[in-house]
Amino acid sequence: MSRLNQPPLEQERRGQLQEYGTALAWTPEGNELAIASAAGEIVLIPLDGGPQQVLQEADGQSIDVLAISHDGQFLAAGGQAGTLLIWRLGESPELISRLDNSRTWLEHLAWHPQRNELAMGLGSYVQVWDAEAAEVVTTLMFESSSVLDLAWHPEGTQLAAGGHQGIKVWNCQDWDDDPQLYEIPAASICLAWSNNGEYLASGNMDRTLVVWAQGNPYPWRMQGFPAKVRQLAWSEFWLGEAPLLASSSREGIVVWHKQQQDDAGWNPQLLELHNARVSAIAFQPQTQLLASASEDGSVCLWQNAEEVVQLLDGAAAGFSALAWNPSGTALAALGEAGDWLIWKQGRGKRGFLNDIFRN
């Protein structure tokens, strides 16, 4: 998408949670946003300016993860109490499941991309829950550590879990089959499949990034990061041989561009502007526009994942999370002081660069 055709983002809505904003998730239609806080509150916010709905009042126990099913029918939440909560969404959302796992902090949830099955990390194992049948589909042992991240293959054929010494990938057609092991001499702390499922990336505790191509056991290994790699994001838009891969470590962002020949690897592009830890990164759907949120209180929009074309603020204590809606027409962010903000694309004819100088 051309920069000149890309209108700037303008603030649409904002509000306040009681404590640190921890998690957010858009509905598949992108017209409603679920947010949560460290105080335990969960709120639904319509994009059209309608009144917000409180699904759960603050109870002093942090909600740390939210996930909405592929068809928008279910919202799942988990956190400090270890309890899985599932609401059936609609005009009057209804809490339909409450599963207690009091011995573990529930931090990782992932819905199957085509079925209403939810994967959750419960200490050193993964459980898959069928939300419609209200029953366990399978329980999978990770064994070597607690599960540190979860990701379904985009086609729903595999489930990956990361932790100490690497990643295990299970075949969803045969849960009893041995998982494929992707070994790493450290802990995998964040996972991301590319949108076509051809690449699997892992950000690691030992300051490395590893990328596997489907069917190739020999990965690319990128190193030289100043700290562990905390965030990963693939672009839907392809540039040459592969989509772009963005990674963050401390206050820096590196965008990786695959070379034509596999042996040549991936070229890095360092993006420097934030002066505190980057807390979230995400590509706008169908474009190369990268959004990054930081604890320095700014959100940067990087056109072509190269240069800043707009700066957003509104969370003086720092941003903790962000996400584009599925159509890419709205961007939401949470703040460390409980602020929440939604920006939408404006109708003005001025470009992003004008907005930098305006700010």
Side-chain angles (χ1 to χ4, degrees):
M1 179 178 287
S2 164
R3 180 172 64 197
L4 296 177
N5 294 330
Q6 182 83 302
L9 296 183
E10 298 175 354
Q11 186 177 301
E12 178 76 8
R13 300 194 67 176
R14 68 171 300 152
Q16 187 70 40
L17 296 168
Q18 292 188 21
E19 281 197 26
Y20 188 105
T22 52
L24 73 174
W26 288 97
T27 56
E29 297 78 13
N31 56 5
E32 205 165 22
L33 176 72
I35 58 175
S37 81
E41 59 204 307
I42 303 174
V43 180
L44 278 176
I45 302 166
L47 187 57
D48 64 4
Q52 64 186 41
Q53 292 179 286
V54 178
L55 299 187
Q56 175 169 290
E57 299 283 358
D59 60 4
Q61 299 202 82
S62 178
I63 293 294
D64 299 293
V65 59
L66 297 173
I68 295 179
S69 61
H70 72 102
D71 58 1
Q73 190 177 173
F74 301 107
L75 166 65
Q80 181 180 0
T83 302
L84 173 66
L85 304 167
I86 300 180
W87 282 266
R88 188 185 299 277
L89 299 178
E91 290 188 7
S92 300
E94 174 189 10
L95 182 63
I96 59 168
S97 294
R98 183 184 181 94
L99 305 176
D100 292 323
N101 303 282
S102 57
R103 289 180 297 176
T104 184
W105 199 304
L106 187 52
E107 297 178 281
H108 304 290
L109 299 175
W111 286 101
H112 189 280
Q114 289 98 34
R115 299 194 297 265
N116 286 323
E117 295 179 355
L118 179 72
M120 53 186 143
L122 297 172
S124 60
Y125 64 94
V126 178
Q127 195 166 81
V128 180
W129 175 257
D130 186 326
E132 295 183 348
E135 63 184 21
V136 174
V137 175
T138 188
T139 299
L140 308 164
M141 294 304 298
F142 189 80
E143 297 180 335
S144 57
S145 73
S146 294
V147 173
L148 301 179
D149 202 5
L150 287 170
W152 292 93
H153 188 278
E155 296 178 355
T157 54
Q158 301 172 78
L159 175 63
H164 181 55
Q165 295 183 331
I167 301 167
K168 288 185 177 180
V169 179
W170 287 271
N171 179 355
C172 303
Q173 306 302 315
D174 185 0
W175 290 115
D176 294 328
D177 198 4
D178 290 337
Q180 185 172 357
L181 178 61
Y182 294 77
E183 294 184 347
I184 298 171
S188 167
I189 60 174
C190 55
L191 297 176
W193 294 94
S194 61
N195 286 288
N196 69 345
E198 185 170 340
Y199 300 100
L200 174 61
S202 171
N204 307 315
M205 189 74 79
D206 65 353
R207 306 181 181 185
T208 65
L209 165 64
V210 178
V211 179
W212 292 266
Q214 193 78 295
N216 188 340
Y218 304 106
W220 294 278
R221 184 172 183 269
M222 296 80 148
Q223 54 189 357
F225 293 94
K228 56 188 174 185
V229 178
R230 292 176 175 270
Q231 303 282 335
L232 298 172
W234 289 96
S235 68
E236 291 183 7
F237 187 93
W238 280 49
L239 184 65
E241 299 297 312
L244 296 173
L245 173 61
S247 56
S248 75
S249 176
R250 225 156 54 186
E251 68 273 16
I253 301 167
V254 180
V255 177
W256 301 90
H257 172 206
K258 186 179 179 299
Q259 296 298 290
Q260 186 172 6
Q261 301 298 323
D262 286 353
D263 291 345
W266 297 66
N267 272 353
Q269 171 75 41
L270 179 62
L271 308 183
E272 295 180 291
L273 190 65
H274 291 300
N275 55 33
R277 186 173 71 87
V278 174
S279 50
I281 52 177
F283 279 97
Q284 184 185 39
Q286 303 299 323
T287 81
Q288 294 173 256
L289 181 68
L290 177 68
S292 61
S294 169
E295 293 176 349
D296 64 10
S298 67
V299 169
C300 293
L301 299 182
W302 307 83
Q303 190 64 23
N304 296 325
E306 292 179 346
E307 58 177 331
V308 171
V309 290
Q310 190 173 6
L311 292 172
L312 304 169
D313 56 21
F319 284 102
S320 56
L322 100 174
W324 292 96
N325 71 347
S327 64
T329 57
L331 177 69
L334 298 179
E336 297 186 2
D339 331 62
W340 60 263
L341 298 99
I342 299 175
W343 298 273
K344 288 181 67 177
Q345 287 184 331
R347 297 180 179 177
K349 294 183 179 179
R350 68 175 185 272
F352 281 131
L353 289 173
N354 292 331
D355 232 55
I356 291 178
F357 296 114
R358 187 167 62 89
N359 288 331

